[in-house]
């Protein structure tokens, strides 16, 4: 695999089952380590040893299809889960976390409140919460795994709008999806994986669904 990812772009990733998409992303996010090859971040070689390293040092956030949210906690508690603001290293700054969470939610133009419970939100709204976490901690690379797969049709456009807003804010977005219409709607390029290699890199210029299907098979 040899791939450059730039700021202010959305890169789609497609491929049949077993093409290597998940393995590639697990290396970027620190769930697996490279056996060979090199990863460069801002032109400097780096080693990603854990998801914590990916988040802290490389500012990479992975948003999984299952979202990994705690439904019985509020939105602000989910956003800061594991990275709580504390005074003197002990006392949680609950008011500050609620206020900061609300600021980020308003930045996304969503009606979600920081005090809402995640379990009471729709699928599209939960996607917004996951994206809000990436913005809250100023991640620079956001990887999204099938973000529109499990939400209603009317909420799909809301998620696509959020992806466009990330790009407009200068972020890099890697978008894995089997919904080719969604990829064509938001991606600058689409990368086709095949048996652990990159088979094609297609600029999104007059791309059609048939082009992506043909490139895959």
């Amino acid at each position: 695999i040899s791939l450059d990812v730039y700021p202010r772009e959305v890169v789609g990733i497609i491929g049949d089952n077993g093409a290597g998409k998940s393995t590639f992303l697990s290396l970027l996010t620190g769930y697996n380590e490279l056996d060979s090859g090199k990863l460069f971040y801002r032109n400097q070689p780096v080693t990603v040893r854990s998801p914590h390293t990916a988040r802290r040092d490389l500012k990479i956030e992975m948003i999984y299809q299952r979202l990994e949210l705690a439904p019985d906690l509020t939105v602000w508690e989910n956003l800061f889960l594991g990275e709580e603001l504390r005074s003197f290293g002990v006392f949680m700054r609950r008011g500050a976390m609620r206020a900061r969470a609300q600021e980020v939610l308003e930045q996304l133009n969503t009606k979600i409140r920081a005090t809402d419970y995640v379990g009471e939100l729709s699928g599209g709204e939960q996607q917004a919460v996951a994206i809000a976490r990436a913005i809250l901690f100023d991640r620079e690379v956001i990887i999204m795994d099938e973000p529109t797969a499990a939400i209603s049709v009317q909420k799909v456009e809301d998620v696509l709008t959020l992806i466009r807003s990330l790009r407009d804010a200068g972020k890099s977005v890697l978008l894995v999806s089997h919904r080719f219409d969604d990829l064509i709607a938001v991606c600058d390029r689409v990368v086709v994986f095949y048996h652990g290699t990159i088979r094609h890199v297609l600029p999104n210029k007059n791309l059609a669904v048939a082009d992506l299907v043909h490139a895959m098979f």
Side-chain angles (χ1 to χ4, degrees):
I1 299 300
S2 180
L3 179 66
D4 293 322
V5 179
Y6 301 99
R8 201 178 291 273
E9 76 164 347
V10 180
V11 178
I13 296 179
I14 64 173
D16 202 3
N17 292 335
K21 306 185 301 295
S22 297
T23 302
F24 171 64
L25 297 180
S26 75
L27 296 172
L28 287 184
T29 53
Y31 283 93
N32 286 309
E33 287 191 51
L34 286 168
D35 295 312
S36 62
K38 293 182 179 180
L39 178 66
F40 292 84
Y41 177 73
R42 294 188 179 277
N43 296 321
Q44 298 298 319
V46 294
T47 301
V48 187
R49 300 192 183 280
S50 69
H52 180 67
T53 301
R55 289 191 178 103
R56 181 193 62 198
D57 298 340
L58 307 186
K59 295 187 177 296
I60 294 174
E61 183 79 19
M62 177 81 176
I63 300 175
Y64 294 91
Q65 185 174 350
R66 292 177 177 267
L67 296 179
E68 304 296 335
L69 298 174
D72 55 338
L73 297 181
T74 62
V75 170
W76 73 265
E77 289 171 319
N78 269 275
L79 293 185
F80 283 95
L81 193 60
E83 300 187 59
E84 293 84 359
L85 300 179
R86 297 179 184 272
S87 297
F88 308 107
V90 178
F91 304 105
M92 286 206 299
R93 299 167 54 193
R94 298 177 184 274
M97 287 188 283
R98 279 195 298 268
R100 180 68 185 117
Q102 190 61 46
E103 286 178 14
V104 172
L105 292 169
E106 291 173 1
Q107 183 180 336
L108 290 174
N109 295 316
T110 177
K111 296 180 181 179
I112 305 168
R113 296 170 299 180
T115 52
D116 290 340
Y117 282 90
V118 166
E120 297 175 356
L121 301 178
S122 69
E125 289 170 333
Q126 290 186 20
Q127 280 286 352
V129 172
I131 292 171
R133 180 178 169 89
I135 294 175
L136 177 67
F137 292 103
D138 198 27
R139 310 300 193 212
E140 295 185 349
V141 180
I142 296 95
I143 303 170
M144 306 183 73
D145 184 16
E146 301 286 356
T148 57
I151 62 177
S152 62
V153 174
Q154 57 264 39
K155 292 294 183 181
V156 167
E157 185 56 40
D158 292 343
V159 174
L160 298 181
T161 298
L162 290 173
I163 293 171
R164 294 186 188 100
S165 69
L166 290 172
R167 176 178 56 197
D168 293 344
K171 310 298 183 183
S172 306
V173 180
L174 294 179
L175 177 60
V176 181
S177 180
H178 286 92
R179 292 175 57 101
F180 290 172
D181 285 328
D182 295 348
L183 294 173
I184 291 170
V186 297
C187 290
D188 299 286
R189 294 181 288 150
V190 178
V191 178
V192 184
F193 276 64
Y194 179 78
H195 284 223
T197 65
I198 290 179
R199 193 176 202 177
H200 301 285
V201 178
L202 305 173
N204 190 2
K205 295 179 180 178
N206 301 315
L207 266 184
V209 169
D211 298 323
L212 298 182
V213 174
H214 178 73
M216 274 183 60
F217 299 108

